[in-house]
Amino acid sequence: MLLLLTYVNETNLNKGFDSIYFLKRRKMARNKIQKKTAYHHGDLRGQLIKAARDLIEQHGPDGFSMSDACRLAGVSTAAPYRHFSSKQDLLTEVAMDGLRRLGAEMEKQASDYPRGTVPSIAAIGRAYVSFAIREPHTFRLMFSTEPHSGRIDEVKQVGMGSYGVLLREVALYLSEQDITEAVLRTAFPLWSQVHGLSFLSIDGKLEVTDFPVDVDEAILIATEKLLPPHPPGQKA
Amino acid sequence: MLLLLTYVNETNLNKGFDSIYFLKRRKMARNKIQKKTAYHHGDLRGQLIKAARDLIEQHGPDGFSMSDACRLAGVSTAAPYRHFSSKQDLLTEVAMDGLRRLGAEMEKQASDYPRGTVPSIAAIGRAYVSFAIREPHTFRLMFSTEPHSGRIDEVKQVGMGSYGVLLREVALYLSEQDITEAVLRTAFPLWSQVHGLSFLSIDGKLEVTDFPVDVDEAILIATEKLLPPHPPGQKA
DNA sequence: AACATATGTTAGCAACAGTAACATAGTTAG
DNA sequence: CTAACTATGTTACTGTTGCTAACATATGTT
């Protein structure tokens, strides 16, 4: 008890970090009531990822600084390194989180339509591009390789999980039982199309001419053209 | 003359920058012979762009530092700011240079085939993806908006110049005299396709499954599917 | 030769990523 | 209940970076 008081006083004298310490005291009190949800800070790891997500969407991955995230979370600049080995490591976490959310949204949007049809596949495309437009910086981060060096396999696996949503839908369209080569050959151009459309959208290339591109229409038309004509006598 | 010697000596004593000064002396001599191509350094501006290009391709736009470029060019870290208002400004220059080279290559590749045909349009796509694979970091830089804030219009214009290569080719295919709305509606999905393919390529997504994608084949097939069937009785 | 301009230099700033040494809170073993 | 152990914070620091200010030098012009 004596030690605690000494420490706090010393710190308050040294620098003007009172606010942080008051914050901390409040959180500690709350944690006691909430029956210890976490250690000192209360899920600093989670809050840092959240802070990073917010900051990245505001200023881009380049404009994002570890220091800013620390300020937002109310901790010292050294604290994050107990949870993430580096800034890149934190960014990788944000990227994988984004990939999972993207997969979930594609699945959800597809489920509004009869499975394995042009509309359900187009819905996946719209979910994809929507995500990119809603969170352009996170989207860019999700698909760039450089920042995730060392954990590429991990990211790739999460990404494949989301790609699987499209693959399954295409397999249904083709009436294939498995993810066969035919499914892959059909799905990839679709991915490529919406991926390109996403990047062109977030980089402001839809309005380079006098005829701005209607994203949803573009997705639907391209989907119809890129999918093989439906095998006769199958599906509705 | 006395002043020059004094300056050089002083500098050599102060820091170990002898090599730089020898370099400089050599260049000054050469410039004299070449009849003053430039001021002190000899086209520092051009060399910085070149250095930036090299460094960006080696370590990515993020890994690129102004200091590195200075070391490569053999000048102090303050020198670049006589030619570029900021690091971003230099990057913008590299991006526009890349856009121009891309346009030139697309034009060149297309010219190997009968104009306004599937092969010539596919050739443009191959040139596009080839560029991305050859200079992935520059390619990313060319199409990202953030770094070029303040000069977006300039970049957009250069980009449109290159896009025009595709537009003209599609116009020929459609037998349109101008860049009509039909041309734009046909060309955009093609752009989108190769743009997406480019990003997926440089981000290592061609090998996510057991059936790696053949880029050239993918371009050709998608081009055929996305182009409208050729109007009967026209072209060869 | 004198001046103006363009282009370089040194020195220094603030922001940042990351580390080392230390302090404190929670967990577990005795 | 305490002692050790571990997890999670802190301060203080280092080296790098982008950029600026003040100054020096080279070139071109009158």
PDB file of all heavy atoms in Angstrom, chain B residues 7 11 41 44 76 78 82-83, chain C residues 5-12:
ATOM      1  N   TYR B   7      36.617  24.664 -48.141  1.00  0.00           N
ATOM      2  CA  TYR B   7      35.328  24.028 -47.902  1.00  0.00           C
ATOM      3  C   TYR B   7      35.471  22.505 -47.861  1.00  0.00           C
ATOM      4  O   TYR B   7      35.015  21.843 -46.957  1.00  0.00           O
ATOM      5  CB  TYR B   7      34.356  24.426 -49.011  1.00  0.00           C
ATOM      6  CG  TYR B   7      32.993  23.850 -48.837  1.00  0.00           C
ATOM      7  CD1 TYR B   7      32.210  24.196 -47.744  1.00  0.00           C
ATOM      8  CD2 TYR B   7      32.493  22.937 -49.744  1.00  0.00           C
ATOM      9  CE1 TYR B   7      30.951  23.651 -47.577  1.00  0.00           C
ATOM     10  CE2 TYR B   7      31.231  22.391 -49.585  1.00  0.00           C
ATOM     11  CZ  TYR B   7      30.470  22.754 -48.496  1.00  0.00           C
ATOM     12  OH  TYR B   7      29.233  22.220 -48.330  1.00  0.00           O
ATOM     13  N   THR B  11      34.999  19.984 -44.592  1.00  0.00           N
ATOM     14  CA  THR B  11      34.007  18.922 -44.593  1.00  0.00           C
ATOM     15  C   THR B  11      34.649  17.572 -44.329  1.00  0.00           C
ATOM     16  O   THR B  11      34.146  16.761 -43.554  1.00  0.00           O
ATOM     17  CB  THR B  11      33.282  18.887 -45.947  1.00  0.00           C
ATOM     18  OG1 THR B  11      32.906  20.205 -46.279  1.00  0.00           O
ATOM     19  CG2 THR B  11      32.059  18.008 -45.864  1.00  0.00           C
ATOM     20  N   HIS B  41      25.082  18.860 -59.028  1.00  0.00           N
ATOM     21  CA  HIS B  41      25.141  17.409 -58.959  1.00  0.00           C
ATOM     22  C   HIS B  41      25.090  16.764 -60.334  1.00  0.00           C
ATOM     23  O   HIS B  41      25.654  15.717 -60.569  1.00  0.00           O
ATOM     24  CB  HIS B  41      23.961  16.908 -58.122  1.00  0.00           C
ATOM     25  CG  HIS B  41      24.009  15.447 -57.863  1.00  0.00           C
ATOM     26  ND1 HIS B  41      24.605  14.908 -56.753  1.00  0.00           N
ATOM     27  CD2 HIS B  41      23.559  14.397 -58.578  1.00  0.00           C
ATOM     28  CE1 HIS B  41      24.508  13.609 -56.791  1.00  0.00           C
ATOM     29  NE2 HIS B  41      23.881  13.268 -57.888  1.00  0.00           N
ATOM     30  N   LEU B  44      20.197  15.945 -60.363  1.00  0.00           N
ATOM     31  CA  LEU B  44      19.848  15.261 -59.122  1.00  0.00           C
ATOM     32  C   LEU B  44      18.400  14.830 -59.146  1.00  0.00           C
ATOM     33  O   LEU B  44      18.059  13.735 -58.703  1.00  0.00           O
ATOM     34  CB  LEU B  44      20.107  16.179 -57.914  1.00  0.00           C
ATOM     35  CG  LEU B  44      19.669  15.619 -56.570  1.00  0.00           C
ATOM     36  CD1 LEU B  44      20.331  14.280 -56.292  1.00  0.00           C
ATOM     37  CD2 LEU B  44      19.981  16.593 -55.451  1.00  0.00           C
ATOM     38  N   SER B  76      23.141  15.042 -49.469  1.00  0.00           N
ATOM     39  CA  SER B  76      22.648  15.160 -48.110  1.00  0.00           C
ATOM     40  C   SER B  76      21.138  14.972 -48.080  1.00  0.00           C
ATOM     41  O   SER B  76      20.469  15.057 -49.107  1.00  0.00           O
ATOM     42  CB  SER B  76      22.993  16.529 -47.527  1.00  0.00           C
ATOM     43  OG  SER B  76      22.164  17.508 -48.118  1.00  0.00           O
ATOM     44  N   ALA B  78      18.901  16.786 -47.071  1.00  0.00           N
ATOM     45  CA  ALA B  78      18.093  17.983 -47.308  1.00  0.00           C
ATOM     46  C   ALA B  78      18.000  18.325 -48.789  1.00  0.00           C
ATOM     47  O   ALA B  78      17.106  19.064 -49.217  1.00  0.00           O
ATOM     48  CB  ALA B  78      18.676  19.160 -46.537  1.00  0.00           C
ATOM     49  N   ARG B  82      14.894  20.524 -52.622  1.00  0.00           N
ATOM     50  CA  ARG B  82      15.006  21.578 -53.630  1.00  0.00           C
ATOM     51  C   ARG B  82      14.260  21.180 -54.894  1.00  0.00           C
ATOM     52  O   ARG B  82      13.995  22.004 -55.764  1.00  0.00           O
ATOM     53  CB  ARG B  82      16.480  21.816 -53.989  1.00  0.00           C
ATOM     54  CG  ARG B  82      17.336  22.307 -52.851  1.00  0.00           C
ATOM     55  CD  ARG B  82      16.938  23.709 -52.451  1.00  0.00           C
ATOM     56  NE  ARG B  82      17.659  24.144 -51.265  1.00  0.00           N
ATOM     57  CZ  ARG B  82      17.320  25.202 -50.561  1.00  0.00           C
ATOM     58  NH1 ARG B  82      16.272  25.928 -50.917  1.00  0.00           N
ATOM     59  NH2 ARG B  82      17.998  25.541 -49.491  1.00  0.00           N
ATOM     60  N   HIS B  83      13.954  19.876 -55.004  1.00  0.00           N
ATOM     61  CA  HIS B  83      13.325  19.375 -56.240  1.00  0.00           C
ATOM     62  C   HIS B  83      11.927  18.823 -56.013  1.00  0.00           C
ATOM     63  O   HIS B  83      11.112  18.800 -56.929  1.00  0.00           O
ATOM     64  CB  HIS B  83      14.206  18.298 -56.863  1.00  0.00           C
ATOM     65  CG  HIS B  83      15.585  18.751 -57.167  1.00  0.00           C
ATOM     66  ND1 HIS B  83      15.917  19.409 -58.317  1.00  0.00           N
ATOM     67  CD2 HIS B  83      16.733  18.676 -56.446  1.00  0.00           C
ATOM     68  CE1 HIS B  83      17.200  19.708 -58.310  1.00  0.00           C
ATOM     69  NE2 HIS B  83      17.725  19.272 -57.181  1.00  0.00           N
TER      70      HIS B  83
ATOM     71  P    DT C   5      16.088  37.003 -58.157  1.00  0.00           P
ATOM     72  OP1  DT C   5      14.884  37.324 -58.947  1.00  0.00           O
ATOM     73  OP2  DT C   5      16.099  37.159 -56.688  1.00  0.00           O
ATOM     74  O5'  DT C   5      16.520  35.511 -58.502  1.00  0.00           O
ATOM     75  C5'  DT C   5      16.930  35.208 -59.822  1.00  0.00           C
ATOM     76  C4'  DT C   5      17.486  33.795 -59.873  1.00  0.00           C
ATOM     77  O4'  DT C   5      18.823  33.765 -59.318  1.00  0.00           O
ATOM     78  C3'  DT C   5      16.673  32.772 -59.091  1.00  0.00           C
ATOM     79  O3'  DT C   5      16.405  31.682 -59.946  1.00  0.00           O
ATOM     80  C2'  DT C   5      17.578  32.381 -57.929  1.00  0.00           C
ATOM     81  C1'  DT C   5      18.960  32.594 -58.546  1.00  0.00           C
ATOM     82  N1   DT C   5      20.067  32.836 -57.592  1.00  0.00           N
ATOM     83  C2   DT C   5      21.254  32.161 -57.765  1.00  0.00           C
ATOM     84  O2   DT C   5      21.437  31.376 -58.674  1.00  0.00           O
ATOM     85  N3   DT C   5      22.221  32.449 -56.843  1.00  0.00           N
ATOM     86  C4   DT C   5      22.115  33.320 -55.773  1.00  0.00           C
ATOM     87  O4   DT C   5      23.054  33.505 -55.005  1.00  0.00           O
ATOM     88  C5   DT C   5      20.857  33.991 -55.636  1.00  0.00           C
ATOM     89  C7   DT C   5      20.637  34.951 -54.517  1.00  0.00           C
ATOM     90  C6   DT C   5      19.904  33.717 -56.545  1.00  0.00           C
ATOM     91  P    DA C   6      15.409  30.502 -59.514  1.00  0.00           P
ATOM     92  OP1  DA C   6      14.443  30.264 -60.618  1.00  0.00           O
ATOM     93  OP2  DA C   6      14.928  30.737 -58.143  1.00  0.00           O
ATOM     94  O5'  DA C   6      16.424  29.270 -59.498  1.00  0.00           O
ATOM     95  C5'  DA C   6      17.300  29.088 -60.597  1.00  0.00           C
ATOM     96  C4'  DA C   6      18.321  28.021 -60.259  1.00  0.00           C
ATOM     97  O4'  DA C   6      19.295  28.557 -59.322  1.00  0.00           O
ATOM     98  C3'  DA C   6      17.734  26.783 -59.610  1.00  0.00           C
ATOM     99  O3'  DA C   6      18.325  25.658 -60.230  1.00  0.00           O
ATOM    100  C2'  DA C   6      18.117  26.917 -58.131  1.00  0.00           C
ATOM    101  C1'  DA C   6      19.426  27.671 -58.222  1.00  0.00           C
ATOM    102  N9   DA C   6      19.730  28.520 -57.070  1.00  0.00           N
ATOM    103  C8   DA C   6      18.901  29.405 -56.434  1.00  0.00           C
ATOM    104  N7   DA C   6      19.467  30.039 -55.425  1.00  0.00           N
ATOM    105  C5   DA C   6      20.750  29.525 -55.405  1.00  0.00           C
ATOM    106  C6   DA C   6      21.859  29.787 -54.565  1.00  0.00           C
ATOM    107  N6   DA C   6      21.826  30.654 -53.558  1.00  0.00           N
ATOM    108  N1   DA C   6      23.001  29.097 -54.809  1.00  0.00           N
ATOM    109  C2   DA C   6      23.023  28.215 -55.820  1.00  0.00           C
ATOM    110  N3   DA C   6      22.051  27.901 -56.674  1.00  0.00           N
ATOM    111  C4   DA C   6      20.929  28.593 -56.405  1.00  0.00           C
ATOM    112  P    DT C   7      17.856  24.195 -59.869  1.00  0.00           P
ATOM    113  OP1  DT C   7      18.124  23.382 -61.067  1.00  0.00           O
ATOM    114  OP2  DT C   7      16.521  24.256 -59.270  1.00  0.00           O
ATOM    115  O5'  DT C   7      18.910  23.747 -58.761  1.00  0.00           O
ATOM    116  C5'  DT C   7      20.257  23.596 -59.147  1.00  0.00           C
ATOM    117  C4'  DT C   7      21.093  23.430 -57.904  1.00  0.00           C
ATOM    118  O4'  DT C   7      20.946  24.570 -57.039  1.00  0.00           O
ATOM    119  C3'  DT C   7      20.713  22.224 -57.044  1.00  0.00           C
ATOM    120  O3'  DT C   7      21.776  21.297 -57.089  1.00  0.00           O
ATOM    121  C2'  DT C   7      20.509  22.789 -55.653  1.00  0.00           C
ATOM    122  C1'  DT C   7      21.212  24.124 -55.749  1.00  0.00           C
ATOM    123  N1   DT C   7      20.759  25.186 -54.805  1.00  0.00           N
ATOM    124  C2   DT C   7      21.684  25.690 -53.930  1.00  0.00           C
ATOM    125  O2   DT C   7      22.839  25.316 -53.883  1.00  0.00           O
ATOM    126  N3   DT C   7      21.208  26.660 -53.088  1.00  0.00           N
ATOM    127  C4   DT C   7      19.918  27.166 -53.051  1.00  0.00           C
ATOM    128  O4   DT C   7      19.616  28.051 -52.244  1.00  0.00           O
ATOM    129  C5   DT C   7      19.008  26.600 -54.003  1.00  0.00           C
ATOM    130  C7   DT C   7      17.587  27.082 -54.044  1.00  0.00           C
ATOM    131  C6   DT C   7      19.464  25.645 -54.826  1.00  0.00           C
ATOM    132  P    DG C   8      21.544  19.783 -56.527  1.00  0.00           P
ATOM    133  OP1  DG C   8      22.342  18.909 -57.393  1.00  0.00           O
ATOM    134  OP2  DG C   8      20.095  19.582 -56.373  1.00  0.00           O
ATOM    135  O5'  DG C   8      22.150  19.836 -55.021  1.00  0.00           O
ATOM    136  C5'  DG C   8      23.474  19.518 -54.810  1.00  0.00           C
ATOM    137  C4'  DG C   8      24.063  20.355 -53.691  1.00  0.00           C
ATOM    138  O4'  DG C   8      23.392  21.619 -53.578  1.00  0.00           O
ATOM    139  C3'  DG C   8      23.935  19.793 -52.268  1.00  0.00           C
ATOM    140  O3'  DG C   8      24.940  18.820 -52.017  1.00  0.00           O
ATOM    141  C2'  DG C   8      24.155  21.029 -51.411  1.00  0.00           C
ATOM    142  C1'  DG C   8      23.715  22.169 -52.317  1.00  0.00           C
ATOM    143  N9   DG C   8      22.557  22.888 -51.794  1.00  0.00           N
ATOM    144  C8   DG C   8      21.256  22.858 -52.244  1.00  0.00           C
ATOM    145  N7   DG C   8      20.451  23.645 -51.586  1.00  0.00           N
ATOM    146  C5   DG C   8      21.268  24.228 -50.625  1.00  0.00           C
ATOM    147  C6   DG C   8      20.951  25.188 -49.610  1.00  0.00           C
ATOM    148  O6   DG C   8      19.860  25.700 -49.367  1.00  0.00           O
ATOM    149  N1   DG C   8      22.075  25.508 -48.852  1.00  0.00           N
ATOM    150  C2   DG C   8      23.340  24.992 -49.053  1.00  0.00           C
ATOM    151  N2   DG C   8      24.290  25.411 -48.233  1.00  0.00           N
ATOM    152  N3   DG C   8      23.645  24.119 -50.004  1.00  0.00           N
ATOM    153  C4   DG C   8      22.562  23.779 -50.748  1.00  0.00           C
ATOM    154  P    DT C   9      24.846  17.959 -50.701  1.00  0.00           P
ATOM    155  OP1  DT C   9      25.889  16.903 -50.831  1.00  0.00           O
ATOM    156  OP2  DT C   9      23.438  17.598 -50.496  1.00  0.00           O
ATOM    157  O5'  DT C   9      25.263  18.942 -49.525  1.00  0.00           O
ATOM    158  C5'  DT C   9      26.586  19.494 -49.499  1.00  0.00           C
ATOM    159  C4'  DT C   9      26.734  20.375 -48.275  1.00  0.00           C
ATOM    160  O4'  DT C   9      25.757  21.446 -48.348  1.00  0.00           O
ATOM    161  C3'  DT C   9      26.455  19.649 -46.973  1.00  0.00           C
ATOM    162  O3'  DT C   9      27.674  19.306 -46.326  1.00  0.00           O
ATOM    163  C2'  DT C   9      25.653  20.627 -46.128  1.00  0.00           C
ATOM    164  C1'  DT C   9      25.333  21.781 -47.057  1.00  0.00           C
ATOM    165  N1   DT C   9      23.865  22.049 -47.108  1.00  0.00           N
ATOM    166  C2   DT C   9      23.324  22.951 -46.234  1.00  0.00           C
ATOM    167  O2   DT C   9      23.974  23.551 -45.404  1.00  0.00           O
ATOM    168  N3   DT C   9      21.968  23.135 -46.365  1.00  0.00           N
ATOM    169  C4   DT C   9      21.127  22.517 -47.257  1.00  0.00           C
ATOM    170  O4   DT C   9      19.934  22.766 -47.288  1.00  0.00           O
ATOM    171  C5   DT C   9      21.758  21.577 -48.137  1.00  0.00           C
ATOM    172  C7   DT C   9      20.941  20.833 -49.140  1.00  0.00           C
ATOM    173  C6   DT C   9      23.086  21.385 -48.032  1.00  0.00           C
ATOM    174  P    DT C  10      27.596  18.318 -45.093  1.00  0.00           P
ATOM    175  OP1  DT C  10      28.966  17.817 -44.883  1.00  0.00           O
ATOM    176  OP2  DT C  10      26.486  17.396 -45.331  1.00  0.00           O
ATOM    177  O5'  DT C  10      27.186  19.248 -43.858  1.00  0.00           O
ATOM    178  C5'  DT C  10      28.039  20.314 -43.445  1.00  0.00           C
ATOM    179  C4'  DT C  10      27.401  21.079 -42.291  1.00  0.00           C
ATOM    180  O4'  DT C  10      26.129  21.616 -42.731  1.00  0.00           O
ATOM    181  C3'  DT C  10      27.100  20.227 -41.060  1.00  0.00           C
ATOM    182  O3'  DT C  10      27.625  20.888 -39.916  1.00  0.00           O
ATOM    183  C2'  DT C  10      25.584  20.115 -41.011  1.00  0.00           C
ATOM    184  C1'  DT C  10      25.134  21.350 -41.759  1.00  0.00           C
ATOM    185  N1   DT C  10      23.865  21.179 -42.496  1.00  0.00           N
ATOM    186  C2   DT C  10      22.784  21.966 -42.183  1.00  0.00           C
ATOM    187  O2   DT C  10      22.805  22.810 -41.315  1.00  0.00           O
ATOM    188  N3   DT C  10      21.661  21.722 -42.939  1.00  0.00           N
ATOM    189  C4   DT C  10      21.529  20.796 -43.958  1.00  0.00           C
ATOM    190  O4   DT C  10      20.479  20.675 -44.568  1.00  0.00           O
ATOM    191  C5   DT C  10      22.707  20.005 -44.227  1.00  0.00           C
ATOM    192  C7   DT C  10      22.659  18.980 -45.311  1.00  0.00           C
ATOM    193  C6   DT C  10      23.797  20.222 -43.508  1.00  0.00           C
ATOM    194  P    DA C  11      27.610  20.212 -38.491  1.00  0.00           P
ATOM    195  OP1  DA C  11      28.709  20.807 -37.720  1.00  0.00           O
ATOM    196  OP2  DA C  11      27.505  18.747 -38.666  1.00  0.00           O
ATOM    197  O5'  DA C  11      26.217  20.730 -37.894  1.00  0.00           O
ATOM    198  C5'  DA C  11      25.890  22.106 -38.005  1.00  0.00           C
ATOM    199  C4'  DA C  11      24.570  22.375 -37.303  1.00  0.00           C
ATOM    200  O4'  DA C  11      23.470  22.173 -38.232  1.00  0.00           O
ATOM    201  C3'  DA C  11      24.285  21.457 -36.110  1.00  0.00           C
ATOM    202  O3'  DA C  11      23.725  22.237 -35.063  1.00  0.00           O
ATOM    203  C2'  DA C  11      23.305  20.432 -36.663  1.00  0.00           C
ATOM    204  C1'  DA C  11      22.535  21.266 -37.675  1.00  0.00           C
ATOM    205  N9   DA C  11      21.954  20.505 -38.775  1.00  0.00           N
ATOM    206  C8   DA C  11      22.496  19.451 -39.457  1.00  0.00           C
ATOM    207  N7   DA C  11      21.735  18.965 -40.414  1.00  0.00           N
ATOM    208  C5   DA C  11      20.607  19.753 -40.353  1.00  0.00           C
ATOM    209  C6   DA C  11      19.415  19.756 -41.106  1.00  0.00           C
ATOM    210  N6   DA C  11      19.172  18.899 -42.094  1.00  0.00           N
ATOM    211  N1   DA C  11      18.484  20.681 -40.793  1.00  0.00           N
ATOM    212  C2   DA C  11      18.734  21.545 -39.795  1.00  0.00           C
ATOM    213  N3   DA C  11      19.819  21.638 -39.019  1.00  0.00           N
ATOM    214  C4   DA C  11      20.718  20.700 -39.359  1.00  0.00           C
ATOM    215  P    DG C  12      23.431  21.635 -33.632  1.00  0.00           P
ATOM    216  OP1  DG C  12      23.743  22.712 -32.671  1.00  0.00           O
ATOM    217  OP2  DG C  12      24.073  20.320 -33.522  1.00  0.00           O
ATOM    218  O5'  DG C  12      21.841  21.440 -33.622  1.00  0.00           O
ATOM    219  C5'  DG C  12      21.029  22.558 -33.950  1.00  0.00           C
ATOM    220  C4'  DG C  12      19.623  22.080 -34.251  1.00  0.00           C
ATOM    221  O4'  DG C  12      19.611  21.373 -35.527  1.00  0.00           O
ATOM    222  C3'  DG C  12      19.042  21.083 -33.230  1.00  0.00           C
ATOM    223  O3'  DG C  12      17.879  21.624 -32.664  1.00  0.00           O
ATOM    224  C2'  DG C  12      18.763  19.846 -34.039  1.00  0.00           C
ATOM    225  C1'  DG C  12      18.597  20.405 -35.440  1.00  0.00           C
ATOM    226  N9   DG C  12      18.760  19.416 -36.481  1.00  0.00           N
ATOM    227  C8   DG C  12      19.814  18.558 -36.665  1.00  0.00           C
ATOM    228  N7   DG C  12      19.654  17.753 -37.682  1.00  0.00           N
ATOM    229  C5   DG C  12      18.417  18.106 -38.197  1.00  0.00           C
ATOM    230  C6   DG C  12      17.696  17.585 -39.293  1.00  0.00           C
ATOM    231  O6   DG C  12      18.034  16.670 -40.057  1.00  0.00           O
ATOM    232  N1   DG C  12      16.480  18.229 -39.461  1.00  0.00           N
ATOM    233  C2   DG C  12      16.014  19.246 -38.675  1.00  0.00           C
ATOM    234  N2   DG C  12      14.813  19.749 -38.984  1.00  0.00           N
ATOM    235  N3   DG C  12      16.663  19.750 -37.647  1.00  0.00           N
ATOM    236  C4   DG C  12      17.850  19.129 -37.470  1.00  0.00           C
TER     237       DG C  12
END
